[in-house]
Amino acid sequence: VLYHLTQAGWTDVILIERREVTAGSTWHAAGLIGQLRSDANITQLLRYSVQLYDTLEQETGLATGWRGNGSLRLACNKDRRIEIQRQIATAKSFGLEINILTPSEVADLCPGIYVGDLDCGVFVPGDGTANPADLTQSLAKGARSQGARIFEDTAVTSFRIEDDRIAGVVTEQGAIACESAVICAGIWSREIGRMAGANIPVHPAHHHYVVTDRIEGLSQDMPSIRDPDRLTYFKEEVGGLVAGGYEFNPIAYQGIPSRQDPDFHLFPGEVDHLEPLFAGMMERFPGMESTGIKQWFNGLESFTEDTSFILGETPEVQGLFTGCGFNSMGIASGGGAGMALAYWVEHGEPPF
């Protein structure tokens, strides 16, 4: 949001960060960036993200880790293929390049993958992966170069509201008068919104993924992979796999996020909880059976009841906006959501 406001010519803009940029859920995000979704507007947002990330490093001179190696979405049955064909019809209306692959073509693209159960695969060559922390720092540099200021180690303590409209933000370092404020605080957004009398219905939940040791035969150019029939996803990393998934019984965070929460924080691995997904992961990539786990990630991310973003002006307070509840799509959505929210702040309505 900060970057896009400066791109629109705004210079009197400030970002207030409780600890340091990327210290929340950004640093432990997996970084898969795919454009194919069931909702037309979300597909447009994700497409914009890819266009931005593809050129950002050239603009700022700061590496983003962007790799335009494409993505694969797998279909194990005809019902899944029908769902994907609907998504393709929407995406093609925006000019998105998409190719349907046979199981043997999927195997050629991804050495080491099992395709015996596949109906087809959908390859989006314009998708990719990025390093979330580097990507964020590159956006921050781009915003600073256009006049924005970023204050780290500065917590918000309250808001000034006048006639149901935002008038200022109060921090540990003092108060800042403003005409607009935007809450983009991930799992902390709900509690910060309450300070202003706004209800932001996000809830933090645990999300798990692992990074494996090296698996012989994997290609560094392998696209990221989503296997919705097994609720799992993969990407290549230093010769191994980032492998994660989504359980039917996710673990909600038992507590209220507060300003005292530690930064760069992970929880112990919930092995028993993720174990049911491991069987599907090893079926898809049999090489996982004989390799070790290098690192286990169990971090908090913000989720919503309907898996839709919470994006736009709060109904309770004029001039107070929010962008959160990205349901593990924050990195893929960030570029487009930032563009849309900055446009909303400037023009008083969303771009589409």
Side-chain angles (χ1 to χ4, degrees), residues 253-292:
Y253 177 59
Q254 300 300 317
I256 298 174
S258 74
R259 289 174 305 184
Q260 283 69 47
D261 290 341
D263 48 346
F264 299 106
H265 182 56
L266 291 176
F267 295 83
E270 300 274 356
V271 180
D272 293 342
H273 192 71
L274 196 61
E275 193 172 22
L277 295 179
F278 277 139
M281 292 178 185
M282 289 186 286
E283 287 175 7
R284 185 60 66 212
F285 278 95
M288 285 186 65
E289 293 187 30
S290 55
T291 192

Short mmCIF file of all heavy atoms in Angstrom, two decimals, residues 253-292:
data_model
loop_
_atom_site.label_atom_id
_atom_site.label_comp_id
_atom_site.label_asym_id
_atom_site.label_seq_id
_atom_site.Cartn_x
_atom_site.Cartn_y
_atom_site.Cartn_z
N TYR A 253 -5.32 -20.50 16.88
CA TYR A 253 -4.43 -19.95 17.91
C TYR A 253 -5.24 -19.68 19.18
O TYR A 253 -6.25 -18.97 19.14
CB TYR A 253 -3.79 -18.66 17.41
CG TYR A 253 -2.91 -17.98 18.43
CD1 TYR A 253 -1.81 -18.63 18.97
CD2 TYR A 253 -3.17 -16.67 18.83
CE1 TYR A 253 -0.99 -18.00 19.90
CE2 TYR A 253 -2.36 -16.03 19.74
CZ TYR A 253 -1.28 -16.69 20.29
OH TYR A 253 -0.47 -16.07 21.21
N GLN A 254 -4.80 -20.27 20.27
CA GLN A 254 -5.52 -20.11 21.54
C GLN A 254 -4.94 -18.92 22.30
O GLN A 254 -4.06 -19.05 23.14
CB GLN A 254 -5.41 -21.38 22.37
CG GLN A 254 -5.99 -22.61 21.69
CD GLN A 254 -7.46 -22.45 21.37
OE1 GLN A 254 -8.23 -21.95 22.18
NE2 GLN A 254 -7.86 -22.87 20.18
N GLY A 255 -5.43 -17.75 21.98
CA GLY A 255 -4.94 -16.55 22.63
C GLY A 255 -5.32 -15.32 21.83
O GLY A 255 -5.95 -15.41 20.79
N ILE A 256 -4.95 -14.18 22.34
CA ILE A 256 -5.20 -12.91 21.66
C ILE A 256 -3.86 -12.30 21.29
O ILE A 256 -3.02 -12.05 22.17
CB ILE A 256 -5.98 -11.94 22.56
CG1 ILE A 256 -7.35 -12.53 22.92
CG2 ILE A 256 -6.16 -10.58 21.88
CD1 ILE A 256 -8.13 -11.70 23.92
N PRO A 257 -3.59 -12.07 20.00
CA PRO A 257 -2.33 -11.45 19.61
C PRO A 257 -2.17 -10.08 20.28
O PRO A 257 -3.12 -9.30 20.37
CB PRO A 257 -2.47 -11.29 18.09
CG PRO A 257 -3.50 -12.29 17.69
CD PRO A 257 -4.44 -12.38 18.84
N SER A 258 -1.00 -9.80 20.79
CA SER A 258 -0.76 -8.55 21.49
C SER A 258 0.56 -7.94 21.05
O SER A 258 1.36 -8.57 20.37
CB SER A 258 -0.75 -8.77 23.01
OG SER A 258 0.46 -9.41 23.40
N ARG A 259 0.79 -6.72 21.50
CA ARG A 259 2.03 -6.02 21.15
C ARG A 259 3.24 -6.67 21.79
O ARG A 259 4.37 -6.42 21.40
CB ARG A 259 1.94 -4.55 21.59
CG ARG A 259 0.99 -3.73 20.75
CD ARG A 259 0.84 -2.34 21.32
NE ARG A 259 0.43 -2.37 22.72
CZ ARG A 259 0.14 -1.28 23.42
NH1 ARG A 259 0.25 -0.10 22.87
NH2 ARG A 259 -0.23 -1.38 24.68
N GLN A 260 3.02 -7.51 22.81
CA GLN A 260 4.13 -8.14 23.49
C GLN A 260 4.58 -9.45 22.82
O GLN A 260 5.56 -10.06 23.23
CB GLN A 260 3.76 -8.45 24.95
CG GLN A 260 3.79 -7.22 25.87
CD GLN A 260 2.67 -6.24 25.57
OE1 GLN A 260 1.52 -6.64 25.43
NE2 GLN A 260 3.00 -4.96 25.45
N ASP A 261 3.87 -9.87 21.77
CA ASP A 261 4.24 -11.10 21.09
C ASP A 261 5.66 -10.99 20.53
O ASP A 261 6.05 -9.94 20.01
CB ASP A 261 3.27 -11.39 19.94
CG ASP A 261 1.89 -11.78 20.43
OD1 ASP A 261 1.77 -12.18 21.60
OD2 ASP A 261 0.94 -11.69 19.64
N PRO A 262 6.43 -12.08 20.58
CA PRO A 262 7.79 -12.03 20.03
C PRO A 262 7.76 -11.92 18.51
O PRO A 262 6.82 -12.38 17.86
CB PRO A 262 8.40 -13.35 20.49
CG PRO A 262 7.23 -14.26 20.70
CD PRO A 262 6.11 -13.38 21.18
N ASP A 263 8.80 -11.30 17.95
CA ASP A 263 8.91 -11.23 16.50
C ASP A 263 9.69 -12.43 15.99
O ASP A 263 10.37 -13.12 16.73
CB ASP A 263 9.56 -9.91 16.06
CG ASP A 263 10.83 -9.61 16.83
OD1 ASP A 263 11.06 -10.25 17.87
OD2 ASP A 263 11.59 -8.74 16.40
N PHE A 264 9.56 -12.71 14.68
CA PHE A 264 10.22 -13.85 14.05
C PHE A 264 9.98 -15.13 14.87
O PHE A 264 10.89 -15.88 15.18
CB PHE A 264 11.73 -13.59 13.89
CG PHE A 264 12.04 -12.40 13.03
CD1 PHE A 264 12.49 -11.22 13.59
CD2 PHE A 264 11.87 -12.46 11.66
CE1 PHE A 264 12.77 -10.11 12.80
CE2 PHE A 264 12.14 -11.36 10.85
CZ PHE A 264 12.59 -10.19 11.42
N HIS A 265 8.71 -15.37 15.20
CA HIS A 265 8.37 -16.43 16.15
C HIS A 265 7.78 -17.64 15.42
O HIS A 265 6.91 -17.50 14.56
CB HIS A 265 7.36 -15.89 17.16
CG HIS A 265 6.97 -16.90 18.20
ND1 HIS A 265 7.87 -17.54 19.01
CD2 HIS A 265 5.74 -17.38 18.57
CE1 HIS A 265 7.23 -18.36 19.83
NE2 HIS A 265 5.95 -18.28 19.58
N LEU A 266 8.28 -18.83 15.77
CA LEU A 266 7.71 -20.09 15.31
C LEU A 266 7.32 -20.93 16.52
O LEU A 266 7.85 -20.75 17.62
CB LEU A 266 8.71 -20.87 14.45
CG LEU A 266 9.05 -20.29 13.07
CD1 LEU A 266 10.13 -21.15 12.41
CD2 LEU A 266 7.82 -20.21 12.18
N PHE A 267 6.40 -21.87 16.29
CA PHE A 267 5.96 -22.79 17.33
C PHE A 267 6.56 -24.17 17.06
O PHE A 267 6.97 -24.47 15.94
CB PHE A 267 4.43 -22.88 17.35
CG PHE A 267 3.75 -21.60 17.73
CD1 PHE A 267 3.53 -20.60 16.79
CD2 PHE A 267 3.33 -21.38 19.04
CE1 PHE A 267 2.91 -19.40 17.14
CE2 PHE A 267 2.71 -20.20 19.40
CZ PHE A 267 2.50 -19.22 18.45
N PRO A 268 6.60 -25.04 18.06
CA PRO A 268 7.09 -26.40 17.83
C PRO A 268 6.27 -27.12 16.77
O PRO A 268 5.06 -26.87 16.62
CB PRO A 268 6.93 -27.07 19.21
CG PRO A 268 6.91 -25.94 20.19
CD PRO A 268 6.26 -24.79 19.48
N GLY A 269 6.91 -27.99 16.02
CA GLY A 269 6.21 -28.73 14.97
C GLY A 269 5.14 -29.66 15.53
O GLY A 269 5.39 -30.39 16.49
N GLU A 270 3.96 -29.62 14.94
CA GLU A 270 2.85 -30.51 15.34
C GLU A 270 2.88 -31.72 14.41
O GLU A 270 2.09 -31.82 13.46
CB GLU A 270 1.52 -29.77 15.23
CG GLU A 270 1.42 -28.52 16.10
CD GLU A 270 0.96 -28.86 17.50
OE1 GLU A 270 0.65 -30.04 17.77
OE2 GLU A 270 0.92 -27.94 18.34
N VAL A 271 3.79 -32.66 14.67
CA VAL A 271 4.02 -33.77 13.75
C VAL A 271 2.76 -34.60 13.56
O VAL A 271 2.38 -34.92 12.43
CB VAL A 271 5.18 -34.65 14.26
CG1 VAL A 271 5.43 -35.81 13.29
CG2 VAL A 271 6.44 -33.82 14.43
N ASP A 272 2.10 -34.95 14.65
CA ASP A 272 0.90 -35.79 14.53
C ASP A 272 -0.19 -35.11 13.73
O ASP A 272 -0.98 -35.78 13.05
CB ASP A 272 0.37 -36.14 15.93
CG ASP A 272 1.31 -37.04 16.70
OD1 ASP A 272 2.18 -37.67 16.06
OD2 ASP A 272 1.20 -37.10 17.94
N HIS A 273 -0.25 -33.79 13.81
CA HIS A 273 -1.32 -33.07 13.13
C HIS A 273 -1.11 -33.06 11.61
O HIS A 273 -2.07 -33.19 10.85
CB HIS A 273 -1.38 -31.63 13.65
CG HIS A 273 -2.61 -30.90 13.24
ND1 HIS A 273 -3.86 -31.17 13.76
CD2 HIS A 273 -2.81 -29.92 12.34
CE1 HIS A 273 -4.76 -30.39 13.21
NE2 HIS A 273 -4.15 -29.62 12.35
N LEU A 274 0.14 -32.91 11.17
CA LEU A 274 0.40 -32.84 9.73
C LEU A 274 0.62 -34.22 9.12
O LEU A 274 0.55 -34.37 7.90
CB LEU A 274 1.63 -31.96 9.47
CG LEU A 274 1.83 -31.46 8.04
CD1 LEU A 274 0.65 -30.61 7.60
CD2 LEU A 274 3.13 -30.67 7.90
N GLU A 275 0.82 -35.23 9.97
CA GLU A 275 1.17 -36.56 9.47
C GLU A 275 0.17 -37.12 8.45
O GLU A 275 0.59 -37.76 7.48
CB GLU A 275 1.32 -37.53 10.65
CG GLU A 275 1.96 -38.84 10.26
CD GLU A 275 2.29 -39.68 11.49
OE1 GLU A 275 1.66 -39.47 12.54
OE2 GLU A 275 3.18 -40.54 11.38
N PRO A 276 -1.15 -36.92 8.62
CA PRO A 276 -2.06 -37.45 7.60
C PRO A 276 -1.79 -36.92 6.19
O PRO A 276 -2.10 -37.60 5.21
CB PRO A 276 -3.44 -37.00 8.11
CG PRO A 276 -3.27 -36.88 9.58
CD PRO A 276 -1.88 -36.36 9.77
N LEU A 277 -1.23 -35.72 6.09
CA LEU A 277 -0.93 -35.17 4.76
C LEU A 277 0.37 -35.72 4.18
O LEU A 277 0.58 -35.68 2.97
CB LEU A 277 -0.84 -33.64 4.83
CG LEU A 277 -2.11 -32.89 5.19
CD1 LEU A 277 -1.85 -31.38 5.24
CD2 LEU A 277 -3.24 -33.18 4.20
N PHE A 278 1.25 -36.25 5.05
CA PHE A 278 2.53 -36.75 4.57
C PHE A 278 2.37 -37.91 3.60
O PHE A 278 3.14 -38.07 2.66
CB PHE A 278 3.41 -37.19 5.76
CG PHE A 278 4.16 -36.06 6.40
CD1 PHE A 278 4.27 -36.00 7.78
CD2 PHE A 278 4.76 -35.06 5.64
CE1 PHE A 278 4.95 -34.96 8.39
CE2 PHE A 278 5.43 -34.02 6.24
CZ PHE A 278 5.54 -33.96 7.62
N ALA A 279 1.37 -38.75 3.83
CA ALA A 279 1.16 -39.90 2.94
C ALA A 279 0.93 -39.43 1.51
O ALA A 279 1.53 -39.95 0.56
CB ALA A 279 -0.02 -40.73 3.43
N GLY A 280 0.07 -38.40 1.35
CA GLY A 280 -0.19 -37.87 0.02
C GLY A 280 1.03 -37.19 -0.58
O GLY A 280 1.27 -37.26 -1.79
N MET A 281 1.81 -36.50 0.27
CA MET A 281 3.04 -35.86 -0.22
C MET A 281 4.01 -36.89 -0.76
O MET A 281 4.61 -36.71 -1.82
CB MET A 281 3.70 -35.08 0.92
CG MET A 281 2.93 -33.86 1.41
SD MET A 281 3.82 -33.09 2.80
CE MET A 281 2.66 -31.82 3.28
N MET A 282 4.18 -38.01 -0.02
CA MET A 282 5.15 -39.02 -0.44
C MET A 282 4.65 -39.81 -1.64
O MET A 282 5.44 -40.32 -2.43
CB MET A 282 5.47 -39.94 0.74
CG MET A 282 6.30 -39.24 1.81
SD MET A 282 6.87 -40.31 3.14
CE MET A 282 5.33 -40.55 4.05
N GLU A 283 3.34 -39.93 -1.78
CA GLU A 283 2.80 -40.54 -3.01
C GLU A 283 3.12 -39.67 -4.21
O GLU A 283 3.49 -40.18 -5.29
CB GLU A 283 1.29 -40.73 -2.88
CG GLU A 283 0.88 -41.85 -1.95
CD GLU A 283 -0.63 -41.92 -1.77
OE1 GLU A 283 -1.34 -41.16 -2.47
OE2 GLU A 283 -1.10 -42.69 -0.92
N ARG A 284 2.99 -38.36 -4.03
CA ARG A 284 3.23 -37.46 -5.16
C ARG A 284 4.72 -37.37 -5.49
O ARG A 284 5.12 -37.34 -6.66
CB ARG A 284 2.66 -36.07 -4.84
CG ARG A 284 2.75 -35.08 -5.97
CD ARG A 284 2.01 -35.54 -7.20
NE ARG A 284 0.57 -35.62 -6.99
CZ ARG A 284 -0.22 -36.50 -7.59
NH1 ARG A 284 0.30 -37.39 -8.43
NH2 ARG A 284 -1.52 -36.51 -7.36
N PHE A 285 5.56 -37.31 -4.45
CA PHE A 285 7.01 -37.29 -4.65
C PHE A 285 7.62 -38.43 -3.84
O PHE A 285 7.98 -38.26 -2.67
CB PHE A 285 7.61 -35.95 -4.21
CG PHE A 285 7.49 -34.86 -5.24
CD1 PHE A 285 6.42 -33.98 -5.19
CD2 PHE A 285 8.41 -34.73 -6.26
CE1 PHE A 285 6.28 -32.98 -6.15
CE2 PHE A 285 8.29 -33.74 -7.23
CZ PHE A 285 7.23 -32.86 -7.16
N PRO A 286 7.74 -39.63 -4.42
CA PRO A 286 8.25 -40.80 -3.68
C PRO A 286 9.63 -40.58 -3.08
O PRO A 286 9.98 -41.22 -2.08
CB PRO A 286 8.28 -41.89 -4.76
CG PRO A 286 7.23 -41.48 -5.74
CD PRO A 286 7.29 -39.98 -5.77
N GLY A 287 10.42 -39.67 -3.63
CA GLY A 287 11.74 -39.39 -3.08
C GLY A 287 11.70 -38.85 -1.67
O GLY A 287 12.72 -38.90 -0.96
N MET A 288 10.55 -38.34 -1.22
CA MET A 288 10.43 -37.83 0.15
C MET A 288 10.55 -38.95 1.18
O MET A 288 10.92 -38.70 2.33
CB MET A 288 9.10 -37.10 0.34
CG MET A 288 9.04 -35.72 -0.30
SD MET A 288 7.50 -34.83 0.12
CE MET A 288 7.68 -34.60 1.90
N GLU A 289 10.23 -40.19 0.78
CA GLU A 289 10.26 -41.29 1.73
C GLU A 289 11.66 -41.55 2.27
O GLU A 289 11.83 -42.01 3.40
CB GLU A 289 9.72 -42.56 1.08
CG GLU A 289 8.25 -42.51 0.75
CD GLU A 289 7.73 -43.85 0.25
OE1 GLU A 289 8.28 -44.90 0.68
OE2 GLU A 289 6.81 -43.87 -0.58
N SER A 290 12.68 -41.27 1.47
CA SER A 290 14.04 -41.62 1.85
C SER A 290 14.91 -40.40 2.13
O SER A 290 16.13 -40.48 2.09
CB SER A 290 14.69 -42.46 0.74
OG SER A 290 14.64 -41.77 -0.51
N THR A 291 14.29 -39.27 2.41
CA THR A 291 15.06 -38.08 2.74
C THR A 291 14.64 -37.55 4.10
O THR A 291 13.58 -37.93 4.63
CB THR A 291 14.88 -36.98 1.67
OG1 THR A 291 15.85 -35.96 1.87
CG2 THR A 291 13.49 -36.35 1.75
N GLY A 292 15.45 -36.67 4.67
CA GLY A 292 15.14 -36.11 5.98
C GLY A 292 14.47 -34.75 5.87
O GLY A 292 14.35 -34.17 4.78
#
